[in-house]
Amino acid sequence: MYLAQNYKFLRRNTASNQEKCVHGIKFFFFRAPLFAFICNFAPMNQLKTSIITRQEQLPSLDDSNFFHSRQLFELTKSTPRQKPYMVVAQDDGGRVVAHLLAIVRYRSSWIPPYFFMHCRILGEGVYADGVERQAVFGQLLNSLRQRLASRVLYIEMSNLSQKMFGYRELRQQQFFPVHWMSIHNSLHSHTPEERISRRMQSRIDKAYERGIVTKEVETPEEFAAFIHLLRQHNLLKPKRYIPRQEFFKGITDGGHGRLFVTVFKGHVIGCSACAYSGRNAYLWYAAYRRKSFAFLHPDVLTLWHAIKDTHQRGYDHIFFLDVGLPFRRNPFRDFILRFGGKPVSTYRWFRCSIRWVNTLLSWIYRD
């Protein structure tokens, strides 16, 4: 009898301890992560996010990245058919911990007739040290999406520092990724001549012997020819947006970029525009009369001069912001790679404001 009572007592205590253990395990695996998640991101929720469209309202910003700087904001603001939106995150003390510049462009044409607006973002923005970049990026993106959701046809984000940066945050805001290719040339370890083939070098030398001159834009006549060629070259390419001439004038006057032309017997047969940010250069726009002067290879000379000039000025890399559409066979991309560039697989993110179109495209470009 005594043994039976002790056995029942021990069984009840053992079952009670097992239940407590199970409850403890459930709390650890299910509630503890939620508690840690709230603790980790609670400070981020205290940030104040605002969108600024007037330059006099801009706070003090870190202008180390030209594509998210006050200078580009003011330049875009003064250029017709463009409008900048600077998304700023500030802490309780008013200190700017992150900012991101988005540019809305107005697109229109008579043939074919169309008018729409789209938003372009180059890079993920600028963040202060010690900030949870991914979480703050999600807040900036959410504020921008709410502001522009009914104003633009689509939002496009490219040139992120890492392929997977902000993947979860972009997905949460209904963006869909398109596999893209990024190309850049390293200029700090080898000279440009060491990265091209002998055949390419021979082609460049022969073109210069025939009288080709590549130089920086210096006169109003060269600037007018630069703008004319750039527009004519991209006239039937609706994907490429060419800003008004005030934009290119502002880049050169502010010292944030340079314009180059390729000249043959007084005729401008090639042109390019480079922007500079930190230790890197970015080939933003380029155009050439490749078919009219095929024997002179103006496309080769135009890009070659931009690469050479960047190397001579001491920059570490030159990035090509436009390498064509992400088709498997892309002659333009193969042409750029002939200069010794490095291809890198990346994402370009899109979000269409028309809900059913965005849902369809998200399904088509699903991972």
Side-chain angles (χ1 to χ4, degrees):
M1 185 73 175
Y2 177 77
L3 293 175
Q5 290 179 352
N6 286 341
Y7 173 76
K8 291 180 180 179
F9 175 78
L10 291 173
R11 188 174 182 180
R12 281 198 305 269
N13 287 342
T14 303
S16 177
N17 291 337
Q18 288 178 349
E19 290 179 0
K20 291 180 181 179
C21 183
V22 169
H23 285 299
I25 292 174
K26 287 182 178 179
F27 176 82
F28 179 79
F29 281 103
F30 295 100
R31 298 186 182 181
L34 178 61
F35 178 76
F37 177 84
I38 295 174
C39 291
N40 288 336
F41 288 94
M44 296 295 104
N45 295 330
Q46 298 177 5
L47 296 178
K48 177 183 178 182
T49 305
S50 58
I51 298 180
I52 300 172
T53 58
R54 296 182 180 181
Q55 57 190 37
E56 60 271 12
Q57 298 177 348
L58 285 175
S60 178
L61 301 175
D62 179 5
D63 292 332
S64 58
N65 188 331
F66 171 69
F67 296 100
H68 298 275
S69 64
R70 175 189 294 269
Q71 292 78 11
L72 185 57
F73 181 96
E74 296 175 351
L75 177 59
T76 307
K77 186 70 174 178
S78 61
T79 303
R81 306 182 68 82
Q82 293 192 97
K83 185 175 182 179
Y85 289 81
M86 184 71 80
V87 192
V88 179
Q90 296 174 295
D91 58 15
D92 294 337
R95 181 178 69 97
V96 175
V97 298
H99 64 276
L100 179 147
L101 178 60
I103 300 176
V104 173
R105 297 166 171 176
Y106 297 77
R107 309 288 300 272
S108 63
S109 174
W110 290 104
I111 303 176
Y114 65 81
F115 174 78
F116 67 91
M117 296 182 292
H118 82 278
C119 176
R120 185 72 192 278
I121 307 171
L122 293 171
E124 65 267 20
V126 179
Y127 301 85
D129 295 335
V131 173
E132 186 67 32
R133 292 164 57 91
Q134 305 269 359
V136 179
F137 173 72
Q139 292 192 23
L140 298 178
L141 198 63
N142 180 63
S143 300
L144 184 67
R145 181 190 62 82
Q146 293 180 359
R147 180 70 172 270
L148 300 179
S150 60
R151 302 188 183 189
V152 299
L153 179 61
Y154 67 92
I155 303 175
E156 178 180 356
M157 173 171 283
S158 63
N159 300 94
L160 299 178
S161 59
Q162 299 176 0
K163 180 178 181 179
M164 301 303 296
F165 179 88
Y167 187 94
R168 181 182 62 181
E169 289 74 17
L170 285 159
R171 282 292 195 181
Q172 290 175 350
Q173 300 301 326
Q174 291 84 47
F175 280 76
F176 60 90
V178 178
H179 288 276
W180 219 268
M181 184 69 70
S182 173
I183 300 177
H184 70 275
N185 282 38
S186 296
L187 305 174
H188 53 83
S189 56
H190 296 281
T191 63
E193 289 83 0
E194 294 174 342
R195 295 187 179 275
I196 62 175
S197 63
R198 293 183 179 179
R199 182 179 178 182
M200 178 71 79
Q201 186 64 64
S202 176
R203 182 176 296 177
I204 293 171
D205 296 337
K206 289 181 180 179
Y208 280 126
E209 291 174 0
R210 291 173 178 173
I212 287 282
V213 177
T214 51
K215 60 177 183 177
E216 188 174 350
V217 172
E218 298 175 349
T219 66
E221 292 76 17
E222 292 176 348
F223 180 75
F226 171 93
I227 296 296
H228 177 75
L229 178 57
L230 193 61
R231 294 198 176 281
Q232 290 297 319
H233 180 78
N234 296 280
L235 185 62
L236 300 178
K237 300 175 182 178
K239 174 66 175 66
R240 299 178 184 177
Y241 176 83
I242 306 301
R244 296 290 185 88
Q245 62 181 10
E246 292 86 348
F247 180 82
F248 296 100
K249 187 68 174 176
I251 286 182
T252 56
D253 292 345
H256 302 290
R258 287 179 174 82
L259 310 179
F260 304 103
V261 289
T262 303
V263 183
F264 178 69
K265 295 183 178 180
H267 300 282
V268 175
I269 62 175
C271 64
S272 64
C274 287
Y276 306 110
S277 179
R279 299 290 304 167
N280 299 320
Y282 299 83
L283 185 63
W284 209 339
Y285 299 95
Y288 15 78
R289 300 175 64 181
R290 184 176 53 186
K291 295 181 180 179
S292 301
F293 297 86
F295 67 98
L296 292 173
H297 307 289
D299 50 350
V300 174
L301 271 296
T302 300
L303 298 189
W304 176 249
H305 181 74
I307 295 173
K308 283 286 294 179
D309 183 84
T310 302
H311 176 257
Q312 292 173 358
R313 296 183 186 278
Y315 290 96
D316 293 336
H317 306 90
I318 179 169
F319 290 82
F320 297 88
L321 294 185
D322 182 17
V323 296
L325 296 174
F327 300 134
R328 180 171 297 180
R329 295 184 178 181
N330 188 331
F332 181 64
R333 183 175 64 235
D334 296 338
F335 165 69
I336 294 178
L337 289 173
R338 294 176 189 172
F339 294 94
K342 179 182 178 181
V344 179
S345 176
T346 184
Y347 283 136
R348 185 168 289 199
W349 294 86
F350 296 86
R351 185 188 186 278
C352 183
S353 298
I354 304 174
R355 184 172 300 177
W356 70 269
V357 174
N358 194 73
T359 302
L360 176 61
L361 293 175
S362 299
W363 180 80
I364 293 175
Y365 291 102
R366 65 189 182 278
D367 289 341

